Amino acid sequence: VFDEVTYNSKITLLESSSDVWTNKTIRLKNKEFYRCEITGFFDDRYITFKECTVRLCDFAASHWKAAKFTRCRFISTSLSLTTFEECEFRDCRWENVGISGNETIVRKTIITQPQSLLSRIFVQQDSNVLSKYNSSAVDQFEKNLSSRAELARNIMLSHKEVGKEEDFYSSVRLFAQLNALSKAKKFSIRRAFPWCVWRMEYAVLTMVGAINGWGASILRPFGVGVGLVLIMAVINAMVFSVQFSDALRQTLEIFLIAGYGEHTAQGGA
């Protein structure tokens, strides 16, 4: 059975001789894993981690199915080359987590508040380390954005099948924004377009997405449309000194395009 703190250990399915791995249901609470290498297939037992801390660990080459992590902390831990299938991460905290966009796989997995994970992905900035790989901080930042966008897409597709609607629409927003930023950084580095042009596209995308809640709201766009009509009607009534009812009717006709040609012709005459 695990101690309160498990450190410098290699945890695999081969440890079946331990009582904790022989049961079909494994519950771990308030445990800390420090500098552990966690590898293997954890898919034939129901495993739950509650309020555990995972620090400086490596999940590479591990496959998890139906595991639950509740209010756990992942600190300076690598999730690269890891597969989570039908798992749950609820109210977890993340700090400097390592990922690989196409090799950190999530399938039908719930991650509540996915922005807390995607905003705390580790980026290598140590010049001594980067020089060994002939890389730079700018390259690492671009790769980080690309990996975050790809992981956000996987999380979005996962939440399309499982989890709450709010987490799905949150992941839609994260994927759209990170994908736009990733393209912006890539093209600005190659000097295809100025960075400000892509920032403008990102701002427009964010504004349009916010209007309909990234697909979550139907009433919000309707409310924005009604608000614009009323504002334009007030301006029309003040500028042209007409009754508000007439200004509102004209504004509605213009917004609905039906009377646009008529008002244009009258203005030309």
Side-chain angles (χ1 to χ4, degrees):
V1 180
F2 288 119
D3 297 325
E4 289 300 316
V5 178
T6 302
Y7 58 93
N8 290 337
S9 299
K10 184 174 183 179
I11 302 170
T12 73
L13 196 60
L14 298 178
E15 296 179 3
S16 57
S17 59
S18 175
D19 292 339
V20 73
W21 295 111
T22 57
N23 298 323
K24 272 293 182 181
T25 301
I26 302 165
R27 293 184 175 89
L28 301 173
K29 184 176 181 180
N30 294 323
K31 304 291 185 181
E32 180 171 350
F33 299 87
Y34 179 73
R35 290 189 180 276
C36 294
E37 182 182 346
I38 304 173
T39 183
F41 288 81
F42 303 92
D43 55 2
D44 63 344
R45 291 168 175 81
Y46 183 75
I47 308 175
T48 65
F49 296 82
K50 188 173 183 179
E51 298 175 0
C52 295
T53 300
V54 184
R55 190 190 306 269
L56 293 169
C57 293
D58 187 2
F59 279 70
S62 65
H63 186 287
W64 299 78
K65 186 171 183 179
K68 287 188 177 182
F69 300 83
T70 304
R71 294 189 297 278
C72 294
R73 295 181 65 194
F74 295 83
I75 304 170
S76 301
T77 291
S78 175
L79 302 181
S80 297
L81 299 171
T82 309
T83 299
F84 297 101
E85 187 174 356
E86 299 177 10
C87 296
E88 296 182 13
F89 293 86
R90 297 189 179 275
D91 301 322
C92 292
R93 296 172 60 186
W94 316 84
E95 300 174 29
N96 289 329
V97 176
I99 65 161
S100 176
N102 60 343
E103 294 176 336
T104 300
I105 301 172
V106 292
R107 298 193 188 103
K108 296 183 179 180
T109 291
I110 299 172
I111 303 177
T112 61
Q113 302 175 347
Q115 69 276 6
S116 64
L117 166 60
L118 293 168
S119 63
R120 289 170 174 79
I121 302 300
F122 174 72
V123 185
Q124 182 59 261
Q125 298 290 294
D126 190 330
S127 58
N128 295 325
V129 175
L130 294 175
S131 61
K132 296 179 182 179
Y133 298 96
N134 195 26
S135 184
S136 66
V138 175
D139 292 336
Q140 289 298 308
F141 182 66
E142 180 188 353
K143 291 178 181 177
N144 177 267
L145 275 177
S146 179
S147 294
R148 288 164 62 195
E150 192 160 355
L151 180 58
R153 179 180 180 275
N154 291 335
I155 294 174
M156 177 187 69
L157 295 176
S158 182
H159 281 173
K160 188 177 180 180
E161 301 183 65
V162 295
K164 295 181 180 179
E165 284 192 2
E166 61 189 60
D167 291 326
F168 169 68
Y169 291 117
S170 177
S171 60
V172 170
R173 173 181 62 82
L174 290 167
F175 168 64
Q177 292 179 328
L178 287 171
N179 189 52
L181 284 175
S182 177
K183 291 191 296 184
K185 195 63 179 176
K186 182 186 300 182
F187 283 103
S188 64
I189 290 174
R190 297 174 183 176
R191 301 185 183 278
F193 292 97
W195 172 251
C196 61
V197 173
W198 295 104
R199 289 295 298 184
M200 187 180 300
E201 179 184 358
Y202 173 82
V204 172
L205 175 69
T206 301
M207 181 181 67
V208 173
I211 289 176
N212 70 345
W214 301 95
S217 174
I218 298 177
L219 291 178
R220 193 182 297 179
F222 177 76
V224 171
V226 171
L228 287 174
V229 168
L230 293 176
I231 292 172
M232 292 302 298
V234 170
I235 295 174
N236 194 9
M238 293 175 61
V239 172
F240 297 103
S241 300
V242 296
Q243 293 292 327
F244 178 77
S245 58
D246 294 333
L248 180 60
R249 177 180 57 81
Q250 293 176 2
T251 303
L252 281 172
E253 289 177 349
I254 292 175
F255 265 78
L256 296 175
I257 307 179
Y260 183 77
E262 176 186 349
H263 287 290
T264 302
Q266 290 179 357

